[in-house]
Amino acid sequence: MDLENKHKDNEAKSGIFNLPKLPFNFPKLPIKLPKPPPPPTHLGDVELPKTLMYLLPIGGLFTLAFVGAIASFIITAWWGQPIPVLGFEQTFDQPINFPHTVHASTKQLDYKDADGNVMVGLGTDCTFCHRTVNKNTAAGANAYIPPVNFCANCHGVIGSEDNVQLNILRDAAGIIGEDGTSPINWRRVHRLPDHVRFVHEPHIRYLSANPEHIKGETDGVTTGPSAVCSTCHGNVASMEKVYQVEPLKMRQCVDCHRDNGAPTDCATCHH
Amino acid sequence: MTTDVEKFGTRNWGMIADLDKCTGCQACVLACQAENNIPINTQDRVERARSISWIRVERYWEGDFPDTKARFIPIMCQHCENAPCEPVCPVYASYHNSEGLNVQVYNRCVGTRYCANACPYIVRFFNYWDPVWPESLRNHLNPDVTIRSRGIMEKCSFCIQRINRTSRKAKSEGRELEDGEIQTACSAACGTHGIVFGDLNDPDSRVSKLKNNKRAFTLLEQFGTDPNVIYLAKVDPHKKGSEEGHH
């Protein structure tokens, strides 16, 4: 059956195309359009799947825009807060290269102290420096980074006198140099957006009482509050530079809250 | 699975404002402004009726000249049980939580302003500008309260940061909350103790007892909003036929 007859046939069957015939014919285009090339069916000897045949001609700009949108989404999400895959972590150079390993780890390190001996980590409790982390004071919302003088208590005497990093510290504490004391501008690694209120104390209390919910391991002290930090911060005691391990997005917070019977009301975290 | 309500009990926060004790001193307004990081209302903003004040003291006149009396009434979000602002929000930024609070989730808000239009008490405020503070006030901001950016709605939260903080404290000390332990900024600042905050579901709390006072009334009762802020009417010894008589 040729094409025209087929149309007629269809029209007759459906009945909906039975429109009155136009009293004139459409004029024909004065030029002949080139025929589009047929979509490729084979790549070399391999036959391409049918769907590809339709997708290929779309090509060009549309695909570019699509891929571009996905790429920019991933890049902004990455910069907004890093996704801990492929070993990418958010970390910065701090004003002083403060190694958690030396201070908090209890393991043998390959770090050499001032006398040239290989050192075992000091194994300090996390709350020795992060004092308010398990307290419920008004300031307890923050974990507290120790002030310069606190470091200087030890480093006034500990560590070699020509250690560059320690001399930055001693300078800030006013032990060496003439310009008196000045604070160290630590850069924040973990930072929730401004509209979220996080408090450490209830978490440390709960995890200490329910050790089965603790995730991860620590090279540091495994008693007291220090044992629970790995749940959200990973193994900080093994880090030369602190980086964020967990995404700490809302989903993670709420999932854990739901599983452990903690409040999930929006006003718990947003106010 | 236990729900929040089963686990944390059914509190119902409420407030009593005793108009007989209100001197119109505005201390509550100031305390609220400082506690809740409310931007400074410059003259320009007030003139354009775009100032923000979560609690305000309204003055009105009672009686005919020459027997007119100046009266004051503090007005804050009434935390209505049937809040007109809640069903109109298309994104559920305004909702009622299990503790009887009408909560505004700032990061959820998209700034339609429907809620402000629905509210008969005019206690919801829109941020027409990003808040700015002079350099000297930078460090006075309360770290427990989100700073609201431009384009979102805000209102009195019954100082939820204080409620949360005090409940947390009680919990970590392993005890129940005591009545009167939580003070909102305005109730703490009120010089005559005219504002009382507490749990309306606890029959022994001060608010529950004051609620049954015969002077108790709520604002715009005819709308059926069932507010959690209850006012105690002014006692007027000079008024003819006054039930209370001399005071």
Side-chain angles (χ1 to χ4, degrees):
Chain A
M1 204 190 304
D2 66 38
L3 205 64
E4 208 177 329
N5 281 336
K6 198 174 171 186
H7 275 309
K8 283 222 176 94
D9 202 10
N10 277 344
E11 276 172 58
K13 270 191 210 142
S14 64
I16 53 168
F17 291 117
N18 290 339
L19 296 169
K21 227 172 174 292
L22 287 174
F24 59 90
N25 286 330
F26 279 113
K28 278 228 165 83
L29 280 177
I31 48 160
K32 233 183 164 186
L33 287 172
K35 250 193 172 171
T41 53
H42 287 78
L43 191 68
D45 288 342
V46 192
E47 194 182 345
L48 293 172
K50 266 242 170 74
T51 36
L52 203 64
M53 277 172 48
Y54 295 104
L55 279 181
L56 274 178
I58 300 174
L61 280 179
F62 179 74
T63 319
L64 211 66
F66 190 66
V67 172
I70 291 183
S72 60
F73 174 78
I74 291 174
I75 288 166
T76 42
W78 205 291
W79 254 257
Q81 214 169 36
I83 309 159
V85 290
L86 307 173
F88 283 87
E89 288 118 5
Q90 183 189 29
T91 179
F92 328 100
D93 283 335
Q94 297 283 0
I96 298 175
N97 268 337
F98 173 80
H100 271 81
T101 44
V102 176
H103 297 87
S105 174
T106 51
K107 301 267 151 67
Q108 179 75 46
L109 308 170
D110 46 9
Y111 173 86
K112 287 205 180 67
D113 69 8
D115 305 329
N117 303 322
V118 189
M119 205 179 131
V120 177
L122 295 178
T124 326
D125 201 284
C126 308
T127 52
F128 179 66
C129 291
H130 303 295
R131 302 217 142 190
T132 55
V133 74
N134 59 347
K135 302 260 163 37
N136 208 334
T137 54
N142 269 316
Y144 186 88
I145 306 287
V148 191
N149 284 343
F150 185 89
C151 316
N153 285 343
C154 281
H155 285 294
V157 286
I158 294 175
S160 117
E161 269 172 31
D162 33 52
N163 186 319
V164 185
Q165 296 299 326
L166 289 179
N167 281 345
I168 304 177
L169 175 76
R170 291 176 187 133
D171 189 18
I175 297 173
I176 58 170
E178 263 94 60
D179 47 354
T181 57
S182 58
I184 304 170
N185 285 323
W186 299 112
R187 290 182 65 187
R188 248 185 117 141
V189 183
H190 300 78
R191 169 160 250 158
L192 296 177
D194 262 2
H195 52 72
V196 187
R197 307 265 87 80
F198 177 80
V199 197
H200 273 96
E201 190 271 345
H203 297 99
I204 290 163
R205 174 163 42 80
Y206 181 83
L207 290 170
S208 302
N210 301 278
E212 68 276 13
H213 292 301
I214 299 175
K215 271 201 301 181
E217 303 206 326
T218 174
D219 282 359
V221 192
T222 51
T223 52
S226 307
V228 311
C229 312
S230 58
T231 315
C232 303
H233 293 300
N235 193 350
V236 176
S238 73
M239 296 177 191
E240 289 290 337
K241 252 189 221 171
V242 187
Y243 55 83
Q244 186 165 337
V245 176
E246 296 286 336
L248 297 176
K249 294 275 182 196
M250 177 161 150
R251 177 183 179 174
Q252 198 187 3
C253 313
V254 176
D255 276 352
C256 180
H257 276 213
R258 202 185 289 117
D259 294 345
N260 295 299
T264 50
D265 181 30
C266 315
T268 314
C269 307
H270 302 297
H271 56 77
Chain B
M1 265 264 335
T2 50
T3 61
D4 278 7
V5 173
E6 289 158 27
K7 191 137 197 299
F8 300 96
T10 46
R11 292 177 189 144
N12 191 10
W13 300 117
M15 189 178 269
I16 306 280
D18 190 341
L19 301 185
D20 202 31
K21 291 181 175 169
C22 181
T23 61
C25 72
Q26 311 258 357
C28 51
V29 178
L30 205 66
C32 178
Q33 203 93 8
E35 169 79 14
N36 291 303
N37 297 343
I38 299 171
I40 292 169
N41 294 317
T42 53
Q43 183 176 359
D44 171 53
R45 294 181 178 200
V46 177
E47 277 167 1
R48 293 161 84 172
R50 289 178 177 185
S51 61
I52 295 176
S53 80
W54 289 8
I55 181 170
R56 62 179 185 271
V57 178
E58 283 202 356
R59 186 210 54 204
Y60 59 97
W61 304 104
E62 214 174 63
D64 295 323
F65 184 82
D67 288 328
T68 26
K69 297 249 159 54
R71 296 278 189 249
F72 301 106
I73 179 168
I75 296 180
M76 68 298 273
C77 170
Q78 307 284 311
H79 292 269
C80 314
E81 293 289 326
N82 298 324
C85 55
E86 287 166 11
V88 296
C89 180
V91 295
Y92 303 105
S94 172
Y95 75 102
H96 225 72
N97 80 356
S98 59
E99 304 200 339
L101 295 177
N102 172 260
V103 180
Q104 177 75 12
V105 183
Y106 305 126
N107 44 342
R108 186 91 190 194
C109 177
V110 296
T112 62
R113 286 180 271 163
Y114 292 160
C115 54
N117 289 333
C119 176
Y121 304 101
I122 321 187
V123 290
R124 288 182 156 266
F125 302 93
F126 187 67
N127 281 278
Y128 285 91
W129 301 279
D130 263 327
V132 279
W133 284 271
E135 193 58 40
S136 57
L137 288 181
R138 273 290 158 77
N139 291 332
H140 96 296
L141 294 176
N142 186 347
D144 290 343
V145 180
T146 307
I147 291 169
R148 285 80 55 188
S149 54
R150 196 182 76 174
I152 58 172
M153 203 45 97
E154 65 181 60
K155 65 161 193 75
C156 160
S157 62
F158 266 0
C159 284
I160 188 163
Q161 68 280 8
R162 291 177 174 227
I163 299 178
N164 284 358
R165 191 197 303 143
T166 319
S167 328
R168 240 178 6 241
K169 182 156 169 265
K171 208 167 167 193
S172 75
E173 289 168 9
R175 59 180 173 83
E176 292 290 313
L177 266 178
E178 284 160 33
D179 182 38
E181 196 179 350
I182 301 176
Q183 291 268 336
T184 59
C186 54
S187 72
C190 184
T192 55
H193 304 292
I195 298 179
V196 182
F197 181 77
D199 184 0
L200 288 170
N201 278 358
D202 170 6
D204 297 325
S205 68
R206 267 187 80 202
V207 279
S208 295
K209 287 180 185 148
L210 286 168
K211 183 176 76 171
N212 298 328
N213 192 311
K214 64 180 167 191
R215 292 192 285 135
F217 72 98
T218 54
L219 284 186
L220 303 181
E221 219 156 334
Q222 67 272 28
F223 291 149
T225 50
D226 195 5
N228 273 7
V229 177
I230 293 149
Y231 291 90
L232 301 184
K234 176 110 184 146
V235 181
D236 195 342
H238 305 299
K239 202 167 159 186
K240 277 194 208 96
S242 164
E243 285 175 30
E244 296 276 326
H246 286 271
H247 196 51

